[in-house]
Amino acid sequence: MVTAALNALGRPFAGIAPERRKFITLVLLTVVMLAFPIVHDNDGDIDSMANAMSYATLALGLNIVVGFAGLLDLGYAAFFAIGAYYYGILTSFQVMPEWSSFWQPFAALGLVEKMNQGGPDLVHFTLSFWLALPTAALVAAFFGVLFGAPTLRLRGDYLAIVTLGFGEIVPIVARNKSDWTNGAAGLNGVQAPRLFGWSFGVDATPYYYVGFAMVVLLIFISIRLRDSRIGRAWMAIREDETAAAAMGVNLVRFKLLAFAIGAAFAGMTGVFFVAKLQTATPEMFGFPVSTMILVMVVFGGMGSVWGVVLGAAVLQLLQSWFLKDLTQWINAFGDLVGSAWLRQVDLVQSIELIFGIILVVMMLFRREGLIPAMAKAPPLNMAAQTANVQRGGFTGLERIGRWQPAGGNALEVKGVTVKFGGLVALNAVDLVVPDGGVVAVIGPNGSGKSTLFNVITGLVHSDGGSIRFHGAELLGLAPHEILEAGVARTFQNIRLFPNLTVLQNVMIGEHARLHAGPVASVLRLPGTRREEAGARAWALDIIGLFGNRLTPRIDQIVSGLSYANRRRVEIARAIATRPKILLLDEPTAGMNPAETLELAEQIKSLHELGLTILLIEHKLDVVTRLAQNVIVLDHGEKIAEGLPDDVRRDEAVLTAYLGRTAQAAHAGVANG
Amino acid sequence: MTTADLILQQLINGVSLGAMYALLALGFTLVYGILELINFSHFNIFMVGSFVALMTLDAFGLKGQTVVLTGLPLAGVLLVAFLVTMVATGVLGVGIERFLLRRVRHVKGPAAMITTIGVSYILLNVVLLTTGADAKNFPNPLPAVHYDIGGAVLRLREILIWIIAFVLMGGLSYFVNRTRLGKAMRATAQDPDAARMMGIEVDRVIMTAFFVGSALAGAGGLIFGLYYNFTSASVGFVAGLRAFTAAVLGGIGNVPGAMVGGLIIGLIEASGGQLIATAWTDVVIFSILVLVLVFRPSGLFGRMAPNKS
């Protein structure tokens, strides 16, 4: 219904191009926001708006952690507290060490003043608000890394509870360490910001403009990060950590980065909030505050930049404007009908109840929030949906270049053993893949084929042996380092990033080959811009290999694709990593015979370009068509190796597949 | 008091607190064992339990600390109070599961956990808005019988708490290990899909886990009131977080582990006032939580929850 109403409103503007419409909306919004304090000269309302802005910046910060990277942080207010106390302590009269010559250089920089209140000379900290904003961001980011580092290995729900623990510890420390914070009574005499000698004082208007500038800046940073290599890596972690690592994302670095940037936003907001309020008490930063910010993010839409800003604004203004008015109306109505209960109702008091209801209702009925992070792609027309089976391998291969096999062996697996408790999944397996060759691994279910792939790509630890790739040892490397070395894989049960588009999935494959860091992504200088354009072009080239199977669907969410198309996206994502060897785990599983043939020929055409391939496959005709050498695994041991046709007639292989008695009866059937 | 007396006294207090935390921890563990869900509404089911108990005792005419009962009336009143409280919180837990959590249980990601946070907030604020934020006097109908062991005092209150906790935990162990439904519960915890295919009604098992866990939390709420002689809307959060620490410490999903974990947390809280300032007790407990999760996420006695990945 909301959508219908919005569509009706938008109809007169349908003639304007979407990009232009967006630009005009932004300009109008900015003008309205800038004019608000001038037009509406009510200090209380301007103050409410300034508060709403500080909650919007908090929501933007939490959105990076929860919405982008999927790390549920229930103690986010701790970083808000750190920023607040950092500025509060360094501008108030709370902490005043004795003066010594050590402080002289700081005094010269204007950071401290010498004071005398009778007795020895004391140090009064006088950190400027404008210097405090960026430095508080750094301090909070440091604590973000400090709190984040030990928790990164934890699963999502454990992470939530640990952050909750940290979130409780910080206010308790603030309460108990009263010589620094004045405990529960709160810091006194926090200085208002000054600009060219003019103090902001207690008037709300200057804070409104500073808050607005912060919101604009943080929206800008959030959007730039979201649409970059950094944002894609975060979303990959959110969607599937294992697949993200296998696609080259350094989990530790990118989780810490999300924690640090989220914390930095909160630290800055803490400075702003305390400067505006000119006091700080431990109660301002407890679990209810963390929850309120989470409610704002959930309400607006996790991962949606405009959504969380809207969520924060709506909830904050609901609290300070709407509920007050509504309470007065209900009370007046109570007077009218003579109901004592209605006369006393105070909805402002029940704001937390409303928050609770919002959380539950949103989770049950609208998990994507007010403004969903992912827009729905328009449905395809019939022509775009119709795909014919393509014969003769990939088209458009000339655009992706050739591999130049150097000869020798690409991959050498020697004596690799993997144990799960008492079960030996792989027992001293040897395997060689020549550079430029295609080797297939076959074997009954549970024979250790996928474990072999997992140990090569660093997803499981080995209990001995060695895996050399172009001479360098892979064992002991993290999955992302193995991908960087040039080993890319697909998964037997397809591990795409389900809520991202086809294009995003394939571009995440390029992660390890791109270089833009967080700063470059925010500034988006020409070099970064070129890199992004190149990354997109490369992804489109690879998607284009599959003809019109995927190209019309680049903006569709992959979880809505057909099974075969999801397999294709996964293969495209692996090719996008620019691998030196491609590990395909049952690439044709679940495909019909025509699709199987199509894909087999496509894989063959990659081989003809010089790409080295290691393949797990059940369909023997595919193996025969592609592989130069076949390895047979059974119960974790290599039982045979050789040319496809020889392996098919091998005694041990027939026994493994068909059983000893069945073998006699079906000896002639096995070559089917 | 000598040091030995002091230690003995803190041991007595600690075991009583520990019994309460253990009852609360069991609810976390039962639900987590089956759903891999941290149930934040459990925090305030405990709190609601203490209020139901308060109202029940009030209904018997027990107000404040003035009325003291002995013998059969005391046993009867306590029995009724425990039954009413446990049934009320049990039904509350089942209602939350049936009407809210069931709809988001299968959603990947944090949706279910966020729902429980919302439910917890709703419970807290409904109580807050109807009764106010101030602490409520909790009746203490027990006669002031006590035994002196050296310099330490063992009151009837503690003995009673130990007996009740022992009976409830014994009953739970029997239920989980010896009954048909308990077996179904253990099977569901290992693999819900396989359990469903073996003819186990998984939804019923989950509802049972919520009922039993919430009922134990209600009993914990009553014990809280008897021990501290007050209750308030805000008691759920800290007690819940401590009990969750207990569950993690014992190995989440592990029923005996939750009992031992509860005992350890109770002893830490009791001795915390002695060894470190009371104000820092929670910092110690939450630090334990963080350290255990980081360095030994399977807890002291091993996780019993399945490894669904």
Side-chain angles (χ1 to χ4, degrees):
Chain A
M1 208 181 78
V2 179
T3 331
L6 283 177
N7 283 343
L9 269 177
R11 203 162 296 137
F13 309 104
I16 311 169
E19 279 303 308
R20 206 174 158 73
R21 216 177 333 172
K22 212 162 133 190
F23 180 74
I24 294 170
T25 315
L26 278 182
V27 170
L28 283 178
L29 198 62
T30 312
V31 169
V32 169
M33 292 305 288
L34 288 177
F36 177 79
I38 302 163
V39 179
H40 186 82
D41 191 15
N42 175 327
D43 203 58
D45 287 350
I46 298 169
D47 186 66
S48 298
M49 290 288 281
N51 283 340
M53 282 157 181
S54 61
Y55 284 110
T57 55
L58 287 172
L60 282 167
L62 187 61
N63 186 47
I64 292 201
V65 184
V66 177
F68 289 176
L71 306 165
L72 192 52
D73 185 348
L74 297 181
Y76 184 66
F79 304 118
F80 183 36
I82 286 166
Y85 277 107
Y86 166 78
Y87 178 67
I89 291 170
L90 291 184
T91 56
S92 68
F93 297 88
Q94 186 64 41
V95 180
M96 304 186 83
E98 263 188 49
W99 180 266
S100 66
S101 57
F102 170 78
W103 297 103
Q104 204 64 53
F106 295 98
L109 290 170
L111 298 176
V112 300
E113 276 170 9
K114 196 192 311 196
M115 269 200 109
N116 196 308
Q117 303 169 310
D121 286 345
L122 297 175
V123 178
H124 172 220
F125 294 108
T126 52
L127 180 65
S128 139
F129 174 78
W130 308 106
L131 195 59
L133 277 181
T135 48
L138 290 178
V139 170
F142 169 77
F143 277 95
V145 171
L146 196 69
F147 289 173
T151 62
L152 292 175
R153 283 185 304 142
L154 301 177
R155 299 151 36 93
D157 41 4
Y158 277 15
L159 179 73
I161 206 89
V162 169
T163 53
L164 176 58
F166 275 134
E168 279 310 290
I169 288 174
V170 169
I172 294 176
V173 170
R175 192 172 304 127
N176 292 340
K177 197 98 185 74
S178 51
D179 48 338
W180 283 37
T181 64
N182 203 23
L187 275 176
N188 288 319
V190 177
Q191 293 300 302
R194 303 173 82 72
L195 194 61
F196 305 117
W198 168 71
S199 170
F200 279 24
V202 290
D203 183 20
T205 308
Y207 295 101
Y208 175 95
Y209 284 113
V210 173
F212 181 63
M214 280 172 63
V215 173
V216 170
L217 175 71
L218 297 188
I219 288 177
F220 177 78
I221 293 177
S222 294
I223 290 179
R224 281 283 169 96
L225 285 174
R226 181 193 67 193
D227 299 336
S228 73
R229 169 177 177 265
I230 308 291
R232 287 193 299 270
W234 282 335
M235 287 186 266
I237 293 173
R238 179 189 74 198
E239 295 293 318
D240 187 335
E241 259 185 43
T242 306
M247 287 303 117
V249 176
N250 183 338
L251 297 181
V252 170
R253 179 184 298 170
F254 279 87
K255 283 181 176 182
L256 283 181
L257 188 65
F259 259 96
I261 295 180
F265 283 21
M268 275 176 75
T269 313
V271 173
F272 173 73
F273 201 74
V274 160
K276 181 170 164 301
L277 218 58
Q278 290 163 24
T279 180
T281 63
E283 278 63 41
M284 283 157 50
F285 312 105
F287 181 61
V289 179
S290 293
T291 315
M292 181 170 72
I293 306 165
L294 182 68
V295 176
M296 289 166 175
V297 171
V298 166
F299 185 54
M302 282 189 268
S304 159
V305 173
W306 294 106
V308 302
V309 173
L310 182 68
V314 167
L315 289 182
Q316 175 59 30
L317 297 180
L318 176 81
Q319 205 168 343
S320 50
W321 287 352
F322 185 63
L323 285 186
K324 262 183 209 154
D325 291 345
L326 195 62
T327 302
Q328 282 170 4
W329 298 337
I330 292 176
N331 294 354
F333 183 69
D335 274 340
L336 199 70
V337 298
S339 156
W341 186 74
L342 283 180
R343 254 200 300 265
Q344 285 169 7
V345 164
D346 185 356
L347 288 174
V348 182
Q349 291 292 312
S350 34
I351 186 70
E352 291 198 349
L353 178 65
I354 295 171
F355 284 170
I357 294 170
I358 288 176
L359 275 184
V360 173
V361 169
M362 294 307 280
M363 281 302 112
L364 293 191
F365 302 110
R366 198 177 161 86
R367 277 187 286 281
E368 68 274 28
L370 288 180
I371 304 179
M374 297 297 289
K376 278 204 177 72
L380 296 182
N381 59 29
M382 276 313 279
Q385 276 191 47
T386 314
N388 297 319
V389 174
Q390 199 183 349
R391 291 297 308 267
F394 281 128
T395 50
L397 277 172
E398 61 285 353
R399 283 199 294 275
I400 71 166
R402 291 187 68 87
W403 283 265
Q404 302 296 340
N409 289 331
L411 187 70
E412 287 175 296
V413 177
K414 275 210 186 80
V416 165
T417 299
V418 175
K419 293 177 189 157
F420 298 123
L423 177 83
V424 182
L426 284 179
N427 190 11
V429 170
D430 293 338
L431 167 95
V432 168
V433 184
D435 202 8
V438 178
V439 172
V441 179
I442 64 169
N445 289 326
S447 60
K449 303 183 297 293
S450 289
T451 305
L452 178 67
F453 270 28
N454 286 341
V455 75
I456 293 172
T457 52
L459 297 180
V460 302
H461 291 285
S462 77
D463 299 282
S466 100
I467 299 175
R468 295 190 156 271
F469 183 60
H470 289 289
E473 181 65 50
L474 292 186
L475 281 184
L477 295 185
H480 71 268
E481 294 169 319
I482 293 172
L483 182 115
E484 280 165 23
V487 181
R489 70 170 293 175
T490 64
F491 291 87
Q492 185 187 352
N493 42 359
I494 308 185
R495 298 189 79 148
L496 288 171
F497 305 111
N499 295 309
L500 302 182
T501 66
V502 171
L503 185 64
Q504 283 172 319
N505 265 278
V506 176
M507 284 180 79
I508 288 165
E510 297 180 65
H511 177 85
R513 309 295 168 221
L514 307 177
H515 306 285
V519 177
S521 297
V522 171
L523 298 180
R524 208 178 276 175
L525 297 175
T528 314
R529 212 178 278 271
R530 266 199 303 279
E531 184 182 82
E532 275 294 294
R536 191 184 155 89
W538 170 252
L540 288 177
D541 280 348
I542 288 172
I543 290 169
L545 293 180
F546 291 94
N548 74 337
R549 297 268 194 198
L550 297 180
T551 304
R553 297 183 166 83
I554 53 166
D555 290 325
Q556 291 196 347
I557 307 291
V558 292
S559 58
L561 296 182
S562 72
Y563 187 83
N565 272 341
R566 276 184 280 152
R567 281 238 173 265
R568 293 187 183 104
V569 175
E570 209 190 17
I571 293 169
R573 186 180 68 176
I575 300 172
T577 68
R578 301 174 192 266
K580 292 183 188 145
I581 185 170
L582 189 58
L583 275 56
L584 299 170
D585 197 345
E586 296 196 31
T588 69
M591 290 188 173
N592 67 34
E595 289 171 332
T596 301
L597 189 62
E598 174 183 343
L599 186 60
E601 286 176 347
Q602 288 169 338
I603 295 170
K604 197 173 176 66
S605 66
L606 282 178
H607 162 60
E608 281 159 3
L609 282 186
L611 180 60
T612 314
I613 293 169
L614 180 61
L615 175 78
I616 293 176
E617 189 50 74
H618 272 304
K619 294 176 184 165
L620 284 181
D621 50 337
V622 177
V623 172
T624 316
R625 192 176 288 272
L626 292 174
Q628 297 149 339
N629 200 20
V630 177
I631 312 278
V632 188
L633 289 182
D634 187 34
H635 292 104
E637 312 223 10
K638 186 165 84 175
I639 58 169
E641 179 172 1
L643 296 173
D645 284 331
D646 296 344
V647 166
R648 282 162 75 155
R649 282 185 279 276
D650 188 281
E651 283 287 311
V653 176
L654 292 175
T655 312
Y657 267 96
L658 301 169
R660 204 167 290 278
T661 47
Q663 182 213 333
H666 297 277
V669 188
N671 47 358
Chain B
M1 275 213 235
T2 65
T3 314
D5 292 337
L6 216 54
I7 291 173
L8 186 63
Q9 186 66 58
Q10 299 309 349
L11 210 62
I12 292 171
N13 297 346
V15 172
S16 311
L17 287 171
M20 178 184 85
Y21 291 133
L23 289 174
L24 196 44
L26 286 168
F28 283 118
T29 269
L30 286 175
V31 169
Y32 193 93
I34 295 176
L35 292 182
E36 299 231 307
L37 166 70
I38 296 174
N39 179 11
F40 280 93
S41 63
H42 201 62
F43 288 50
N44 283 317
I45 288 177
F46 164 83
M47 180 274 292
V48 168
S50 75
F51 273 87
V52 173
L54 176 66
M55 285 191 289
T56 314
L57 292 176
D58 273 356
F60 279 105
L62 304 168
K63 292 223 193 295
Q65 263 90 66
T66 50
V67 189
V68 173
L69 299 173
T70 50
L72 220 51
L74 175 66
V77 165
L78 282 180
L79 191 67
V80 172
F82 269 100
L83 277 178
V84 170
T85 308
M86 290 175 70
V87 169
T89 51
V91 169
L92 178 62
V94 168
I96 291 168
E97 194 283 319
R98 176 67 189 80
F99 296 108
L100 303 173
L101 287 178
R102 187 170 293 184
R103 295 157 183 265
V104 287
R105 215 158 66 193
H106 303 290
V107 179
K108 202 177 156 284
M113 190 175 10
I114 292 176
T115 309
T116 67
I117 295 175
V119 172
S120 202
Y121 247 58
I122 293 173
L123 293 178
L124 169 67
N125 285 287
V126 165
V127 173
L128 210 54
L129 291 172
T130 45
T131 72
D134 50 330
K136 309 286 176 300
N137 224 337
F138 201 91
N140 181 14
L142 305 177
V145 181
H146 62 84
Y147 306 94
D148 295 321
I149 309 170
V153 184
L154 176 61
R155 275 165 297 188
L156 182 61
R157 186 180 74 183
E158 271 89 28
I159 299 175
L160 194 77
I161 290 173
W162 295 357
I163 294 173
I164 293 165
F166 186 80
V167 168
L168 288 175
M169 289 190 228
L172 179 75
S173 295
Y174 178 84
F175 169 73
V176 172
N177 293 316
R178 296 266 183 270
T179 63
R180 197 163 160 270
L181 197 53
K183 198 204 273 177
M185 197 178 273
R186 281 179 289 142
T188 309
Q190 287 306 313
D191 188 337
D193 292 332
R196 184 173 283 123
M197 279 185 266
M198 293 299 112
I200 293 172
E201 287 179 65
V202 169
D203 283 345
R204 201 164 71 105
V205 167
I206 291 171
M207 267 162 71
T208 311
F210 270 89
F211 182 84
V212 173
S214 304
L216 293 177
L222 207 173
I223 290 178
F224 180 94
L226 287 179
Y227 188 86
Y228 286 109
N229 292 322
F230 85 95
T231 189
S232 81
S234 58
V235 300
F237 181 67
V238 170
L241 207 49
R242 287 174 181 172
F244 183 80
T245 308
V248 169
L249 194 58
I252 195 145
N254 182 331
V255 169
M259 299 178 191
V260 179
L263 223 51
I264 295 174
I265 295 299
L267 289 171
I268 290 173
E269 185 186 339
S271 54
Q274 213 77 63
L275 302 174
I276 37 171
T278 315
W280 293 98
T281 308
D282 278 324
V283 173
V284 172
I285 291 176
F286 298 148
S287 303
I288 291 175
L289 173 69
V290 174
L291 292 175
V292 171
L293 282 178
V294 171
F295 292 105
R296 204 180 155 79
S298 56
L300 297 179
F301 307 100
R303 263 165 66 99
M304 292 218 174
N307 223 339
K308 300 169 198 147
S309 56

